[in-house]
Amino acid sequence: EKGGYDYFMLKEIAEQPKAVADTLLGRIDLAGNLCLDEVRIPASVLREVSKVVIVACGTAYHAGMIAKYAIEHWTRIPCETELASEFRYRDPILDQRTLVIAISQSGETMDTLMALRHAREQGARVLAICNTNGSTIPRESDAVLYTHAGPEVAVASTKAFLTQLVACYLVALYLGQVRGTKWGDEILSVIRELSEIATQVDEVLETMEPVRELARTLADKNTVLFLGRHVGFPVALEGALKLKELAYMHAEGFAAGELKHGPIALIEQDVPVVVVVPSPRGRSVLHDKIVSNIQEIRARGARTIVIAERGDETVAPYADHLIEIPATPTLLQPLVATVPLQVFACELATARGNEVDQPRNLAKSVTVE
Ligand code: M6R
C-alpha cells in the first residue's frame, strides 16, 4: 500500500505532480477560461463580494496565507486569513457580502468547522476547499471546491497542501475573471503557467538528493530557522512546521523584513537558516531585499540554505547550500519552493530515528477544539 516507499509521506510527496494535475483537471477550458460551475455560488453573488475571509488550521492555514496574496492581487477584494481557532472568539465582522473560504484536507477539523458555522450564522457565504468527499466541512458549506489529492495518510500534510494552493489560485483567478480586473492578461498567462506546474514539481523531485544529503548533516542541530518574504513567508512557516512535526526540532519561520526587529538576535555561528528567495524577474524589489537579508545573516555566521530560481546568479555567492527551483510567476512559487522543505523535514526525521508517518502527540485529523 505504500507503493514501494518506506513511508506514506515519501509516497505522498512523490504523488504531488499527479495530485496537482488532478486538481486542475477539467477546470480550465481550451481557451484558458476557468470552469468552476461546481462552485455553486452564482457569478452575480461573487461580483458583490466585498471581503474574503479565509479560515483554516496548520498547513491549510499556510495555504490560506498564500491565497490572501493571490486574491488581493488579482481581484482587489480585501482578504484576511485567520486561524480558525481564533476566528469566532473575536467576534469578527461578517455579512452577506463576505465570502468565507474554509480550507481543510480532512473536512473534519473541529476548529475550522466551528469557524464556518459561526460565519454562516452571521449570514456569510462559505466556500470549502476540501480533500475528503462528503466530509462535514463541505456538507455544512454553501459550496465546495474539492482538491483531488487522493487519500493522504501521513500525518504531515504534503500533497494536500499543494492541491490546496492550486484550488486557492483557481478561486482567486476565477474571482478575478468573474469580476474583471485590470489583470486580465496576467490572469490568462498565469492560468497557462499553472498547467506547467505539475512538470515543474516533477523536476524539483528529480533533484532532491543533495537536499537529503544536507538534511542528514544537520541531524544534531538544535534549531533551524526559515526566512521568506511575500508568498515566501508562509512557505517559511510551512517549512518550520514540517520540521517541528517530523524532526521534533526547534524551527521557526520569519518574514525576512522582521529580522532586524528581533529574530536576527538568534543568529549565531553555524545556525542553519533556510531562505526562500523570490524570482529575480517580476517584482525584483522583493528579490533584492532578501539578498541583503542573506548577506546580513551570513555576516553573523549563519549557514545559509538558499532556495532560489535556477540561474539566479546574484544570490548564489551568499548560499552555503543552493537549492534550485524552476522559474514560475511570483505568486505561484510556493508550489515548487515547498517541495524541498518537505523532503528536508522527512529526511531529518528519518536521520533522527523518528516515526515519519505518525509523529508523536499528533493526529491526522483534529476533531476536538
Ligand atoms: O484536515 P485539515 O487540513 O483541516 O488539518 C489541518 C491541520 O491539522 C493540518 O494541516 C496539520 O497542521 C498537519 N499535520 C500539517 O502537516
Side-chain angles (χ1 to χ4, degrees):
E1 43 175 58
K2 292 185 194 139
Y5 292 92
D6 289 344
Y7 310 110
F8 279 108
M9 186 180 179
L10 287 173
K11 175 173 177 264
E12 289 160 6
I13 288 174
E15 285 170 348
Q16 292 184 112
K18 178 167 188 307
V20 162
D22 287 349
T23 298
L24 287 169
L25 200 69
R27 288 169 171 169
I28 299 173
D29 71 15
L30 293 171
N33 291 307
L34 295 166
C35 333
L36 295 190
D37 297 346
E38 60 196 294
V39 174
R40 288 168 294 107
I41 301 181
S44 55
V45 172
L46 293 178
R47 278 190 210 103
E48 292 303 310
V49 167
S50 61
K51 181 166 81 165
V52 178
V53 177
I54 303 176
V55 289
C57 304
T59 288
Y61 171 70
H62 298 150
M65 284 180 76
I66 292 164
K68 173 185 160 77
Y69 290 87
I71 289 172
E72 291 199 333
H73 176 69
W74 286 320
T75 72
R76 310 310 295 153
I77 309 171
C79 175
E80 295 162 25
T81 301
E82 183 147 354
L83 291 167
S85 54
E86 289 290 323
F87 182 66
R88 68 193 175 113
Y89 299 104
R90 69 167 175 87
D91 197 9
I93 302 162
L94 304 161
D95 60 26
Q96 286 84 339
R97 294 181 64 198
T98 312
L99 176 66
V100 171
I101 303 178
I103 309 175
S104 174
Q105 188 286 129
S106 62
E108 301 296 344
T109 299
M110 189 54 76
D111 287 316
T112 310
L113 181 61
M114 295 313 272
L116 87 80
R117 282 185 183 158
H118 182 79
R120 291 195 77 195
E121 278 161 19
Q122 310 296 308
R125 306 237 176 194
V126 178
L127 167 65
I129 291 181
C130 185
N131 195 43
T132 311
N133 269 26
S135 54
T136 312
I137 288 173
R139 274 195 280 115
E140 293 207 13
S141 298
D142 295 285
V144 55
L145 185 65
Y146 280 109
T147 50
H148 294 306
E152 192 181 63
V153 177
V155 166
S157 185
T158 54
K159 61 176 181 170
F161 177 68
L162 254 59
T163 58
Q164 282 161 357
L165 286 179
V166 169
C168 287
Y169 292 129
L170 288 175
V171 169
L173 293 162
Y174 185 62
L175 279 172
Q177 221 168 49
V178 167
R179 297 165 64 102
T181 69
K182 63 174 179 165
W183 301 114
D185 289 346
E186 185 180 312
I187 287 177
L188 278 176
S189 90
V190 169
I191 291 172
R192 270 195 301 276
E193 308 242 16
L194 262 178
S195 320
E196 304 296 314
I197 282 291
T199 316
Q200 293 179 319
V201 172
D202 206 30
E203 279 172 39
V204 177
L205 289 170
E206 292 296 315
T207 58
M208 286 298 95
E209 195 42 43
V211 174
R212 283 188 279 269
E213 274 168 33
L214 169 65
R216 291 194 286 272
T217 67
L218 300 175
D220 60 350
K221 293 282 179 198
N222 296 320
T223 293
V224 181
L225 304 177
F226 294 78
L227 290 182
R229 247 176 207 274
H230 190 254
V231 290
F233 168 42
V235 172
L237 295 178
E238 174 62 7
L241 178 63
K242 282 283 148 313
L243 206 60
K244 285 175 207 163
E245 284 190 286
L246 293 160
Y248 317 148
M249 289 166 86
H250 171 237
E252 268 195 80
F254 300 108
E258 276 293 294
L259 259 184
K260 54 187 172 302
H261 301 291
I264 200 163
L266 291 170
I267 306 292
E268 57 189 9
Q269 198 56 40
D270 234 24
V271 62
V273 186
V274 180
V275 191
V276 184
V277 179
S279 166
R281 308 160 298 116
R283 268 160 269 177
S284 58
V285 57
L286 288 173
H287 176 268
D288 299 350
K289 287 249 161 72
I290 212 154
V291 173
S292 50
N293 293 139
I294 299 174
Q295 289 172 275
E296 282 157 17
I297 56 169
R298 207 158 179 264
R300 289 163 177 81
R303 181 158 157 198
T304 58
I305 302 165
V306 174
I307 300 181
E309 194 170 294
R310 189 172 306 128
D312 180 350
E313 278 160 19
T314 37
V315 82
Y318 310 109
D320 294 311
H321 306 274
L322 184 62
I323 302 170
E324 291 186 310
I325 53 174
T328 60
T330 305
L331 281 161
L332 300 190
Q333 199 202 43
L335 287 166
V336 288
T338 306
V339 176
L341 302 178
Q342 301 167 340
V343 172
F344 183 72
C346 185
E347 191 67 27
L348 261 162
T350 315
R352 288 163 68 95
N354 297 352
E355 173 56 61
V356 171
D357 287 335
Q358 286 288 335
R360 67 185 182 200
N361 309 340
L362 292 173
K364 179 65 185 161
S365 140
V366 183
T367 52
V368 290
E369 259 194 285

